[in-house]
Amino acid sequence: MKFRFNVTMDDKAYLEYNKFMLSKSYYGKKSTNLLRITILLIMVIYVAVSLIISGFTLESFLSTVPLLACLTVLLFTVTLLLSLSVKFALKHQKTTGKMAYSPESVIEFYDEAFVEITPENKTENKYIAIERISVIENKNIYIHINNAMSYVLPVSCFESIEQYNEFLEFLATKCATIDRY
């Protein structure tokens, strides 16, 4: 075994991870931009269809203004609205008792694979399964398996800055795509 970390997650860390995923990560930027483009296309199509059907009158143009205003506000508040939806989802998870994260886990890194052990299960992944790694200096390391699944390593689980740097060097040998924030 190369490294072993005891990882503690709470609601704050889970929300921080999701906000990062929605607004700053490779995956989040891509999804948010796609959503914004979709909203913009809806706006253009709606205005064009409305104007064509009504014969390009001033009244038809003015009738599209309220919807255009709403869609414009939506266009600029997508990230905020998605963050709020994560908070609501977390509250719902608490009421149903099915959390999206485990509060306590152990992650062990070996030469060929890494293993996460939680009270509920044990998951093994080969390094080839890692799509990318996000390093948020002095906060967290996110090991992304895909756009929906990541392993979170808070800086607090490292014994020293030397171990942190040694671990990042180790990860660099296992995954070529490391984003630094």
Side-chain angles (χ1 to χ4, degrees), residues 110-113 127-128 130 133 169-176:
Y110 298 91
D111 286 326
E112 299 300 320
Y127 293 110
I128 197 161
I130 299 173
I133 296 169
E169 289 173 18
F170 173 76
L171 285 179
T173 67
K174 304 298 182 186
C175 180

Side-chain angles (χ1 to χ4, degrees), residues 68-133:
L68 286 175
C70 291
L71 288 174
T72 303
V73 168
L74 181 62
L75 194 64
F76 291 105
T77 60
V78 164
T79 305
L80 175 64
L81 294 173
L82 290 173
S83 293
L84 290 173
S85 72
V86 169
K87 287 182 182 181
F88 287 124
L90 181 60
K91 284 182 182 180
H92 177 69
Q93 290 170 10
K94 283 186 169 189
T95 59
T96 61
K98 294 185 179 183
M99 299 300 289
Y101 68 92
S102 180
E104 301 288 329
S105 67
V106 173
I107 303 179
E108 299 173 341
F109 292 85
Y110 298 91
D111 286 326
E112 299 300 320
F114 65 99
V115 178
E116 179 190 42
I117 304 163
T118 68
E120 298 84 26
N121 62 17
K122 180 178 180 178
T123 308
E124 180 176 333
N125 286 287
K126 300 221 180 271
Y127 293 110
I128 197 161
I130 299 173
E131 283 188 7
R132 65 188 329 109
I133 296 169

Side-chain angles (χ1 to χ4, degrees), residues 51-79:
L51 293 175
I52 290 169
I53 289 174
S54 63
F56 294 96
T57 64
L58 178 61
E59 184 180 309
S60 66
F61 179 75
L62 291 175
S63 70
T64 63
V65 171
L67 180 64
L68 286 175
C70 291
L71 288 174
T72 303
V73 168
L74 181 62
L75 194 64
F76 291 105
T77 60
V78 164
T79 305

Side-chain angles (χ1 to χ4, degrees), residues 4-44:
R4 178 185 170 96
F5 302 108
N6 295 317
V7 179
T8 303
M9 283 278 288
D10 58 10
D11 291 352
K12 181 181 175 190
Y14 177 74
L15 289 172
E16 184 177 305
Y17 162 74
N18 279 283
K19 284 180 183 178
F20 167 80
M21 285 298 289
L22 289 170
S23 62
K24 295 180 184 167
S25 76
Y26 166 82
Y27 302 110
K29 284 181 181 178
K30 192 174 175 180
S31 297
T32 302
N33 287 338
L34 182 61
L35 183 57
R36 285 188 172 117
I37 290 168
T38 303
I39 292 168
L40 190 59
L41 284 173
I42 290 170
M43 289 170 60
V44 168

Side-chain angles (χ1 to χ4, degrees), residues 126-142:
K126 300 221 180 271
Y127 293 110
I128 197 161
I130 299 173
E131 283 188 7
R132 65 188 329 109
I133 296 169
S134 298
V135 178
I136 293 77
E137 284 303 321
N138 302 320
K139 285 194 173 189
N140 297 304
I141 298 173
Y142 301 131

